[in-house]
Amino acid sequence: MDMALEKKYRSLATYFSESTNQTITLQFGEIEKIMGYSLPSSAYLNYSWWKKTKAPARHYQAWTAAGYTVKYVQPNHYVVFEKKDTMSENESHKDVLIIRPALHGDARFLSVLHKKSKMESKFLVYGQEQQEASSKKIRQQIIEWNQSGRSVILLAILNGEHVGYMKIAGNESRRVAHRAEVDLVVQAHKNDMDILSALIQKSEEWAEEKGIKRFEVTLLEENAQARKLFEQNGYKVEGVRKKSVLLQDKLQNEVYMGKVFK
């Protein structure tokens, strides 16, 4: 990827670099979800913006660096990208999953995902009665966390749609700066376990970059699927708090799990 590529297009470049599909059709809204930024007005109105391949423009490198060209543009609706190579014309579509830090422009989508996941997901770390999260509150949290550098929301984007996220809440105090709490939410999907695993892997890469040595997570004891997933990724149960949460008129136990990185 050319270093001159604007920051706002780098996630889009990652998306194309990880795709093996010969043809990709993306709605304008899907492109903006992948980027975490809005497209310029000229992208919505002018076919020529998508066909540019010369300086001083650089946005086109997001797809041309991965071998794609723009085949067709329906202004204000969608763009069709095509990769000319030796792949079979009949090759089936393959999902493209990318994980990136959330930006303040993702707040509205995260709020929707949060509410939708509460209703649909079979996998929630803490259960169905999670605290409501408004777009304004999420946006403020993203800005503050990105500025601190000790916390982050990792966003999972599958084929241009937000499908899950992982919150990593770090600590500013020197004594506990080496540890962070994690919270994981993924929308019900046929690939949900792959998405969860990708988020956990990315979270540990982020932790290594930040010098964080320990992750902690709190689960409802009856959430066997969540517990199994974290155990498979090296987390260990460190304690149980009996009847600590009232959920659906029933007192439930909490399980504390942790993982220490080498």
Side-chain angles (χ1 to χ4, degrees):
M1 182 175 64
D2 194 314
M3 292 301 294
L5 184 64
E6 289 181 62
K7 180 180 178 180
K8 66 185 295 184
Y9 298 109
R10 290 177 186 172
S11 293
L12 189 61
T14 299
Y15 178 88
F16 282 104
S17 69
E18 296 188 5
S19 175
T20 58
N21 298 312
Q22 186 172 13
T23 302
I24 300 175
T25 300
L26 291 172
Q27 303 287 331
F28 278 50
E30 291 173 337
I31 294 173
E32 291 182 333
K33 287 179 181 179
I34 293 170
M35 292 170 51
Y37 296 91
S38 297
L39 288 164
S41 298
S42 53
Y44 275 85
L45 302 175
N46 301 324
Y47 182 90
S48 61
W49 187 89
W50 297 97
K51 300 298 288 185
K52 287 182 178 178
T53 56
K54 295 182 180 180
R58 289 287 186 270
H59 60 272
Y60 62 87
Q61 293 172 348
W63 51 86
T64 58
Y68 287 91
T69 59
V70 173
K71 182 179 179 181
Y72 178 76
V73 179
Q74 180 63 44
N76 204 29
H77 286 84
Y78 64 88
V79 185
V80 179
F81 301 89
E82 186 176 52
K83 189 171 188 177
K84 295 292 186 181
D85 55 22
T86 59
M87 289 190 300
S88 169
E89 293 287 339
N90 298 317
E91 183 173 352
S92 60
H93 173 79
K94 293 183 179 179
D95 293 324
V96 181
L97 174 68
I98 64 171
I99 311 290
R100 65 164 173 78
L103 304 170
H104 63 84
D106 295 311
R108 179 170 61 86
F109 300 119
L110 276 168
S111 179
V112 171
L113 177 61
H114 177 87
K115 294 173 183 176
K116 190 174 181 181
S117 295
K118 283 176 60 180
M119 294 184 289
E120 297 180 358
S121 182
K122 62 183 179 182
F123 182 102
L124 287 172
V125 164
Y126 203 72
Q128 295 294 331
E129 293 189 357
Q130 294 188 23
Q131 182 179 359
E132 291 295 335
S134 67
S135 295
K136 183 177 180 180
K137 184 175 181 180
I138 292 175
R139 183 179 296 107
Q140 181 179 359
Q141 185 177 69
I142 291 172
I143 293 172
E144 291 176 353
W145 281 12
N146 287 347
Q147 289 175 343
S148 75
R150 303 298 300 176
S151 303
V152 70
I153 298 177
L154 296 175
L155 184 59
I157 305 169
L158 183 68
N159 301 327
E161 289 296 328
H162 295 172
V163 291
Y165 61 87
M166 188 169 189
K167 288 186 177 182
I168 307 174
N171 296 276
E172 297 297 329
S173 173
R174 183 177 178 181
R175 290 186 177 184
V176 292
H178 66 284
R179 75 186 194 208
E181 295 181 8
V182 301
D183 184 17
L184 189 57
V185 174
V186 169
Q187 185 177 326
H189 192 279
K190 66 178 181 180
N191 296 327
D192 56 1
M193 296 307 292
D194 291 336
I195 297 166
L196 289 162
S197 296
L199 280 166
I200 289 177
Q201 179 180 341
K202 193 70 174 181
S203 73
E204 296 184 6
E205 292 174 4
W206 181 88
E208 184 177 3
E209 292 176 2
K210 300 298 181 180
I212 292 176
K213 301 298 183 182
R214 173 181 168 85
F215 273 171
E216 301 170 349
V217 62
T218 303
L219 311 173
L220 293 178
E221 188 174 50
E222 70 171 20
N223 194 342
Q225 184 182 22
R227 178 171 171 174
K228 181 178 180 181
L229 176 73
F230 280 103
E231 286 177 338
Q232 290 174 339
N233 283 275
Y235 286 73
K236 298 184 182 300
V237 175
E238 298 179 342
V240 178
R241 179 181 289 177
K242 299 291 186 179
K243 297 183 178 181
S244 59
V245 177
L246 180 63
L247 186 62
Q248 298 176 347
D249 297 322
K250 178 183 177 182
L251 288 173
Q252 300 195 31
N253 300 340
E254 289 177 300
V255 175
Y256 293 92
M257 303 185 73
K259 180 173 182 178
V260 177
F261 307 118
K262 295 180 180 180

